[in-house]
């Protein structure tokens, strides 16, 4: 499905974290583009950072890449959040 993953980005603001990625030329969308963003409020952002620091080192982006891959694996992220009691919301866009 993820033919042309551009990698992922991380934004931190006011203690909240958003993690997103874009894929280009996704066959399931007729060759269109797909973008997904996960949003973590302050409490859940703190849980994510604390859990990542138990297993990884470096900047937040470095730890996220080490945990979920350069192309960002949704299933790995979902499993990690479930294991650590981290809640998030998400949005998607395709075009």
């Amino acid at each position: 499905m993820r033919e042309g993953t551009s990698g992922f980005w991380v934004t931190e603001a006011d203690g909240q974290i958003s993690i997103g990625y874009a894929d280009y030329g996704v066959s399931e969308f007729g060759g269109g583009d797909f973008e997904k963003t996960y949003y973590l409020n302050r409490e859940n952002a703190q849980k994510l950072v604390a859990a990542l620091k138990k297993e990884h080192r470096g900047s937040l982006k470095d730890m996220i890449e080490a945990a979920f891959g350069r192309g960002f694996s949704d299933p790995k992220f979902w499993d990690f959040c479930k294991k650590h009691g981290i809640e998030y919301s998400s949005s998607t866009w395709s075009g």
Side-chain angles (χ1 to χ4, degrees):
M1 176 171 146
R2 303 200 34 196
E3 283 84 353
T5 301
S6 68
F8 68 95
W9 60 87
V10 179
T11 305
E12 296 178 83
D14 298 324
Q16 301 178 62
I17 295 172
S18 62
I19 305 166
Y21 64 83
D23 292 332
Y24 304 104
V26 180
S27 59
E28 283 83 356
F29 299 111
D33 301 335
F34 176 83
E35 187 174 293
K36 182 152 194 153
T37 305
Y38 293 99
Y39 304 96
L40 293 92
N41 64 20
R42 187 180 311 247
E43 176 186 349
N44 288 288
Q46 290 173 348
K47 287 183 185 180
L48 176 70
V49 171
L52 286 169
K53 284 184 175 181
K54 291 179 183 178
E55 301 175 23
H56 305 284
R57 300 283 176 257
S59 69
L60 178 58
K61 186 168 183 170
D62 291 341
M63 291 189 293
I64 289 172
E65 183 175 327
F68 312 119
R70 184 176 298 246
F72 195 84
S73 168
D74 290 315
K76 285 182 181 179
F77 179 74
W78 302 332
D79 291 345
F80 186 89
C81 289
K82 184 176 181 179
K83 176 182 175 183
H84 296 284
I86 300 166
E87 297 180 4
Y88 55 85
S89 61
S90 65
S91 65
T92 57
W93 174 87
S94 61

